[in-house]
Amino acid sequence: MTQLTNLLDKDPAQLVAYCAELGEKPFRAKQLLRWIHQFGASDFDAMTDLAKSLRDKLASRAFIAAPAVISDHTSSDGTRKWLLDVGHGDAVETVFIPEENRGTLCISTQAGCAVNCRFCSTGKQGFSRNLTVGEIIGQLWMAEFALRQAKGIEPGPKGERQITNVVMMGMGEPLLNFEPTVTALKLMLDDNAYGLSRRRVTLSTSGVVPMMDRLSQECAVALAVSVHASNDALRDSLVPLNKKYPLRELMAACRRYLEFAPRDFVTFEYCMLDGVNDSDQHARELIALVQDGEAPVPCKFNLIPFNPFPESGLKRSNNVRIKAFAKVLMDAGIVTTIRKTRGDDIDAACGQLAGEVQDRTRVQERMQKMAEYQQKYGRDFGRIVEISS
Ligand code: SAH
Ligand code: SF4
C-alpha cells in the first residue's frame, strides 16, 4: 500500500510538482492551494472545480490534516489556546491573541527545545523533535478555520480573516528547524494561501547567527531576537547558545538582517528576571550595546515579565522595577514596550499544559537527548514558550 501524502506538508512549488506526478497541469496546484488554505477544505469531494477523476485520485493518495486537538480553552480576555498532539507523546501549543484591530497567532516549531535557556520551561521538557511543515502550517490552518467557525464566518477569500499576524514564539527554536519553518513561512505569505505581508509575520530567535543570514536570503520576515542580557557573561548563563554566538556577533547579524528585513528595526525581547538582569546598570549596558557609535542596531525593546515556574529558581521583576528599566531605555530614545500578560487563567502565558500530557518514559528519553545538547551548549537547562505579540 502506498503511503498517503499530507498536502499540508507541501509548499506551492511542491504542489506543482505533486500535480505533475499525477499528470496534472500546474494550475491545479493553485486550485488545491486555495481549497486547502483559503477554504480550509480537507475533503477532496468539496473541491468542486476539480474533475471527479482527479478528486478520486487525490482521495486514494493524499489527505489534509493538522495535528489533532487535545484541548481547546478560551480565556476570559478572549485568548484561545489549543494543545495539539504531534505524536509519540509529544504535544505543542498554539495561542490566538485577539486585539482590537488584529488577531495574532503564536505558533510552535519544535516539540521541546534544545537551546535550554534558564528561564524557559520548554527546555525543561528536553528536545523531542522538529515539527514538519504540515504540523507548523497546520496550526494556522486549524486555528483560522476554527475561529471563523466559532463566529459563523464563511471560509474562502471573501470571509473576514481572523488571523492577521503570526508570531513564531511558541515552543521551540525556529531557526534550528530551518527548512520546515521557511516552507511554512512561504505558505503564510503566498497569495493563494494566507497572503500575509512579511511585516505581519515575526520569527523569534535566541540568536542562531548563521541561520539569521540564511533567513534574510530565503524569507526575510520581521525579526525578534531574544537578547535577555546586556553582557556576554550574563547571557552565557541565561541563553547557553551565547557561548557559540556571543553578543557582538549577534548584533552584527541583526544589522546584516536589517538590510533585507520588511521593517527597519529588530525587536529585542528581554525577559525581566528579579535581581538577575533588571538593574538600571543593565539597561545602560544595553543602550551602549545597541547604540554603539560605529555600528548601532536600529531596534525596539519588548520587556517580558518572567512567567515563573517552580524549577527555575527565578523570580519575576516587580512592576515598579520593570517600569524604571523601561524608562532608562526610553530616555535614551529607544522605543520600549512592556508585554502584557494574556490568558493567565488558561495558562496561555507559558507552556505548562504541554508538560502535563507528556508521559514519563518519553520525558526520560528526552532528558537523554538533552544531555547530549548540554554537552554541546552548556549545562543550563530551561524551557521556552511564550505567547502574545
Ligand atoms: N526559541 C525562540 C522562540 C520561542 S520563545 C526564542 O527563544 O526567541 C519566545 C519568547 O519567550 C522568547 O523571547 C523567550 O525568551 C520567552 N520566554 C521563554 N520562557 C519564558 C518565561 N518563562 N517567561 C517569559 N518569557 C519567556
Ligand atoms: Fe528554546 Fe525556550 Fe531558549 Fe526559545 S527561550 S531558545 S524556546 S529554551
Side-chain angles (χ1 to χ4, degrees):
M1 214 180 106
T2 44
Q3 211 177 340
L4 296 182
T5 304
N6 188 356
L7 296 188
L8 283 184
D9 278 321
K10 304 233 176 260
D11 73 9
Q14 289 163 342
L15 264 188
V16 171
Y18 185 76
C19 285
E21 271 172 42
L22 301 183
E24 299 288 337
K25 299 239 163 60
F27 78 94
R28 296 289 179 203
K30 202 182 273 187
Q31 286 177 310
L32 265 174
L33 260 189
R34 288 189 185 147
W35 277 116
I36 299 169
H37 296 287
Q38 297 189 342
F39 288 88
S42 56
D43 176 2
F44 295 112
D45 264 341
M47 304 181 180
T48 43
D49 55 1
L50 301 185
K52 176 84 173 80
S53 57
L54 173 57
R55 282 188 262 154
D56 290 344
K57 224 189 291 184
L58 286 167
S60 66
R61 293 162 203 236
F63 66 105
I64 300 159
V69 175
I70 297 170
S71 66
D72 172 356
H73 293 290
T74 303
S75 155
S76 52
D77 66 18
T79 303
R80 184 166 170 184
K81 169 168 137 168
W82 294 267
L83 186 67
L84 304 176
D85 182 356
V86 290
H88 315 289
D90 287 317
V92 298
E93 294 171 332
T94 304
V95 179
F96 175 69
I97 304 121
E99 281 165 303
E100 212 171 309
N101 298 315
R102 63 180 179 181
T104 302
L105 191 72
C106 175
I107 65 179
S108 298
T109 53
Q110 298 182 310
C113 182
V115 178
N116 221 357
C117 301
R118 203 167 119 202
F119 48 83
C120 174
S121 50
T122 299
K124 278 278 178 247
Q125 299 170 27
F127 172 70
S128 191
R129 69 176 181 84
N130 285 324
L131 299 191
T132 61
V133 175
E135 288 166 338
I136 301 173
I137 201 69
Q139 296 171 60
L140 177 53
W141 183 78
M142 175 281 299
E144 174 66 35
F145 297 104
L147 290 162
R148 284 199 196 190
Q149 200 182 28
K151 281 188 161 182
I153 295 168
E154 59 173 319
K158 293 198 186 100
E160 188 196 340
R161 188 69 69 70
Q162 298 301 293
I163 296 165
T164 60
N165 294 60
V166 173
V167 293
M168 287 189 156
M169 291 187 186
M171 295 174 83
E173 169 48 59
L175 294 186
L176 292 180
N177 183 19
F178 190 80
E179 266 104 20
T181 292
V182 166
T183 305
L185 287 173
K186 286 185 179 159
L187 277 166
M188 290 173 202
L189 307 185
D190 195 287
D191 282 340
N192 291 306
Y194 300 89
L196 295 173
S197 85
R198 291 193 297 143
R199 301 162 60 87
R200 288 177 174 270
V201 178
T202 302
L203 181 145
S204 173
T205 180
S206 55
V208 191
V209 165
M211 293 303 170
M212 289 165 67
D213 288 323
R214 265 188 76 186
L215 185 69
S216 74
Q217 299 308 302
E218 293 184 29
C219 198
V221 292
L223 186 70
V225 173
S226 295
V227 66
H228 307 309
S230 52
N231 61 62
D232 280 322
L234 182 57
R235 195 162 190 270
D236 282 352
S237 76
L238 294 175
V239 183
L241 195 65
N242 194 66
K243 292 175 198 149
K244 203 160 179 191
Y245 307 114
L247 281 168
R248 258 184 82 85
E249 281 182 37
L250 183 57
M251 293 302 128
C254 290
R255 282 193 302 274
R256 291 195 297 276
Y257 192 90
L258 282 174
E259 287 174 36
F260 303 94
R263 291 181 183 270
D264 54 10
F265 60 87
V266 170
T267 302
F268 286 128
E269 292 161 280
Y270 198 93
C271 182
M272 297 298 292
L273 301 165
D274 181 43
V276 175
N277 65 356
D278 64 348
S279 71
D280 283 358
Q281 177 54 25
H282 288 123
R284 285 191 289 269
E285 212 174 9
L286 275 178
I287 295 165
L289 182 73
V290 303
Q291 292 188 341
D292 176 353
E294 299 284 284
V297 184
C299 64
K300 131 182 177 186
F301 267 82
N302 192 4
L303 306 181
I304 315 172
F306 171 58
N307 295 310
F309 58 100
E311 311 90 312
S312 71
L314 297 163
K315 284 197 297 205
R316 177 186 291 187
S317 310
N318 69 46
N319 288 347
V320 175
R321 180 86 297 272
I322 298 178
K323 281 188 190 144
F325 191 93
K327 186 167 183 311
V328 177
L329 295 176
M330 287 191 287
D331 285 349
I334 299 173
V335 175
T336 305
T337 52
I338 301 173
R339 186 179 291 177
K340 56 180 180 210
T341 318
R342 298 285 305 259
D344 262 358
D345 51 339
I346 55 164
D347 225 345
C350 69
Q352 314 295 12
L353 202 53
E356 287 167 18
V357 300
Q358 317 277 341
D359 81 50
R360 293 199 171 273
T361 19
R362 288 292 304 162
V363 169
Q364 292 233 317
E365 261 174 52
R366 275 193 294 274
M367 289 311 168
Q368 263 172 11
K369 269 192 214 165
M370 280 305 287
E372 288 165 31
Y373 284 102
Q374 282 172 341
Q375 279 197 327
K376 214 158 144 191
Y377 296 112
R379 69 183 164 74
D380 287 325
F381 167 79
R383 168 182 195 188
I384 266 193
V385 169
E386 176 61 23
I387 304 117
S388 174
S389 54

